[in-house]
Amino acid sequence: MAEVILKDVSKVYEKDVLAVNKANIEIKDKEFVILVGPSGCGKSTTLRMIAGLEEITEGELYIDGKLMNNVLPKNRDIAMVFQNYALYPHMTVYENMAFGLKLRKFNKKEIDERVKHASDILGITELLDRKPKALSGGQRQRVALGRAIVRKPKVFLFDEPLSNLDAKLRVQMRTEIAKLHSKLEVTMIYVTHDQTEAMTMGDKIVIMDKGDILQTATPLELYRKPKNKFVAGFIGSPAMNFIEGKIISEDTLKFQSINNDLIFPITEKYNSLLSKYINEKVTLGVRPEDILLKEYSMSESNHVMKVSLDVVEPMGNEIYLYFKISENQIVARVQAVDDLTDGKNIDLMLNINKLHFFDNKTEDAISH
Ligand code: ADP
């Protein structure tokens, strides 16, 4: 069992830097939770407070129902894996993994069993006699993981563990860590600034910005129902397009972009929420995948947009199309076809059943 609960946890550094502002997070036993957000949003500080490496200024941290605020890091039954691996260069892989257990006075047999078991899980058995300098980045990261695994902690904490790896290895290690989570059946808390990592790895994602938690949800929920404009723009790649405009009421409710170059009727599902915004400014959010090529669009209810393509970016099986609506740079992610070139005028379809609208003042989502 390892349930981690943060209740109104804040961190103020010297000179009044409010790094974390009343964070409330509930992490269930065996859950894999990702803290994600741009650099400086307070993710590492949150993780370090859980580990006990940083004092909690205000609020309470519970692990398995026990208040941890004043418990020393070594007594929290937590293991942390860092970005820089933090391996001892003069020790072999075996010694690096065994070190923490030796300090805790485990006997030789137990240490040997645990190191062998962990190296087996991680596929590094042949490397046990090597020193870190004779390892690749990916292998070093596995040793760092191994060092955490041998301790059989209640909670694993990861601070951007894959940032130093090249893109291909990062993708591979992502899957390995996710597999490790299901194999070990432990609670894991993972910090990253990379939304793709967050979306592909975690059961639950906590999105932070400027010390605040903006939304906590499953990856799919965040993608489908972002609570505000920040979350909407942060999750998804390429990012959601935003178009400013207003809601007008003619024979029906309509969205009208500022330059009048996009006007379409609001579908019934958004009607009641948007009727409060008649003649008010709102921001429309459209995911690049919800703009389609006309010939591939089945639905009659889609809205046709005539656009002039600025740039056509082939990605293999897909193409990214860049164009402008009311001076906003828009990107559409469509199926690859051959006849699209820069400067061409084409018809695109806007899936008007998959839109997002945001209040211009609060930036909160009006509807999903
Ligand atoms: P993240 O991990 O999301 O990049 P951090 O938790 O490292 O963000 O930092 C959050 C905020 O706290 C930033 O504004 C950062 O400059 C500040 N900060 C982090 N560590 C310290 C420190 N030791 N002293 C003062 N300010 C700090």
Side-chain angles (χ1 to χ4, degrees):
M1 264 292 285
E3 184 191 60
V4 180
I5 295 178
L6 282 79
K7 267 196 187 153
D8 288 328
V9 167
S10 296
K11 175 72 189 179
V12 182
Y13 285 111
E14 284 163 44
K15 295 182 191 131
D16 294 338
V17 178
L18 179 60
V20 177
N21 181 21
K22 291 194 188 308
N24 283 295
I25 308 177
E26 282 194 20
I27 300 165
K28 293 195 201 93
D29 184 36
K30 299 186 184 128
E31 207 168 22
F32 193 165
V33 171
I34 314 268
L35 306 183
V36 69
S39 177
C41 71
K43 336 176 265 297
S44 295
T45 302
T46 305
L47 200 71
R48 292 169 64 81
M49 286 194 285
I50 297 171
L53 302 173
E54 211 64 77
E55 211 173 294
I56 295 170
T57 313
E58 234 179 83
E60 289 137 36
L61 166 73
Y62 296 93
I63 298 178
D64 279 346
K66 290 197 198 90
L67 187 66
M68 285 286 138
N69 291 46
N70 297 317
V71 175
L72 288 173
K74 68 178 171 66
N75 297 332
R76 291 192 186 191
D77 209 354
I78 272 175
M80 190 147 166
V81 181
F82 297 92
Q83 176 179 353
N84 59 11
Y85 322 129
L87 300 179
Y88 299 109
H90 58 287
M91 291 185 193
T92 62
V93 167
Y94 186 101
E95 288 162 347
N96 260 290
M97 286 165 70
F99 187 68
L101 299 179
K102 269 192 195 156
L103 281 186
R104 285 172 180 77
K105 309 262 186 281
F106 279 72
N107 69 45
K108 260 196 159 149
K109 184 166 166 280
E110 176 78 21
I111 293 178
D112 199 56
E113 273 171 18
R114 288 196 183 196
V115 170
K116 297 234 160 93
H117 177 66
S119 53
D120 194 34
I121 290 179
L122 295 162
I124 52 172
T125 308
E126 305 89 82
L127 308 175
L128 287 174
D129 295 328
R130 289 203 202 164
K131 298 258 173 76
K133 70 171 185 304
L135 301 176
S136 70
Q139 290 168 336
R140 279 179 208 171
Q141 191 51 270
R142 279 193 192 97
V143 180
L145 284 172
R147 210 170 38 177
I149 293 172
V150 293
R151 290 188 32 210
K152 299 192 181 164
K154 272 191 190 166
V155 185
F156 277 78
L157 304 181
F158 297 91
D159 194 357
E160 304 252 5
L162 309 183
S163 322
N164 286 345
L165 304 179
D166 64 51
K168 195 171 161 203
L169 201 53
R170 219 159 47 218
V171 173
Q172 191 189 328
M173 286 300 287
R174 252 192 236 155
T175 352
E176 286 195 24
I177 293 177
K179 269 195 218 147
L180 200 63
H181 173 250
S182 47
K183 223 184 252 175
L184 298 175
E185 297 196 325
V186 288
T187 309
M188 289 188 171
I189 310 174
Y190 187 106
V191 158
T192 178
H193 64 276
D194 181 343
Q195 66 89 26
T196 316
E197 226 166 85
M199 290 295 278
T200 51
M201 291 177 79
D203 302 325
K204 190 158 93 185
I205 301 177
V206 177
I207 298 204
M208 298 184 69
D209 186 38
K210 300 191 186 93
D212 291 320
I213 292 180
L214 299 188
Q215 190 168 1
T216 303
T218 63
L220 207 59
E221 213 176 321
L222 282 182
Y223 175 83
R224 289 193 181 149
K225 296 186 169 186
K227 264 192 175 164
N228 56 38
K229 200 176 155 194
F230 179 88
V231 175
F234 192 79
I235 295 292
S237 175
M240 183 184 282
N241 299 293
F242 295 113
I243 302 165
E244 287 203 22
K246 64 178 178 182
I247 302 297
I248 54 169
S249 173
E250 289 180 343
D251 39 340
T252 114
L253 278 196
K254 286 180 180 168
F255 173 85
Q256 180 182 50
S257 64
I258 358 179
N259 291 0
N260 293 349
D261 50 357
L262 176 66
I263 301 177
F264 61 86
I266 306 273
T267 49
E268 215 175 293
K269 70 189 237 196
Y270 305 119
N271 249 324
S272 65
L273 288 160
L274 287 171
S275 57
K276 298 180 197 120
Y277 283 82
I278 292 167
N279 293 327
E280 285 205 37
K281 283 187 186 162
V282 295
T283 300
L284 168 70
V286 186
R287 294 218 178 265
E289 46 277 32
D290 294 327
I291 304 173
L292 314 162
L293 289 173
K294 198 172 168 200
E295 54 267 47
Y296 290 100
S297 165
M298 299 297 181
S299 169
E300 285 296 307
S301 68
N302 287 339
H303 175 75
V304 183
M305 303 190 291
K306 295 196 178 299
V307 307
S308 166
L309 298 176
D310 293 330
V311 178
V312 176
E313 205 172 69
M315 305 296 291
N317 64 334
E318 293 178 330
I319 313 181
Y320 294 172
L321 305 174
Y322 295 86
F323 54 93
K324 289 203 180 63
I325 295 177
S326 284
E327 327 238 308
N328 299 284
Q329 176 75 71
I330 307 297
V331 54
R333 178 178 173 177
V334 301
Q335 244 171 298
V337 284
D338 291 334
D339 59 343
L340 297 176
T341 48
D342 297 359
K344 192 166 178 181
N345 292 318
I346 60 163
D347 285 348
L348 290 175
M349 301 291 260
L350 178 66
N351 185 344
I352 53 172
N353 285 308
K354 281 204 178 165
L355 301 174
H356 301 258
F357 293 93
F358 302 93
D359 184 302
N360 262 28
K361 287 185 205 101
T362 62
E363 301 205 336
D364 285 340
I366 300 168
S367 61
H368 304 289

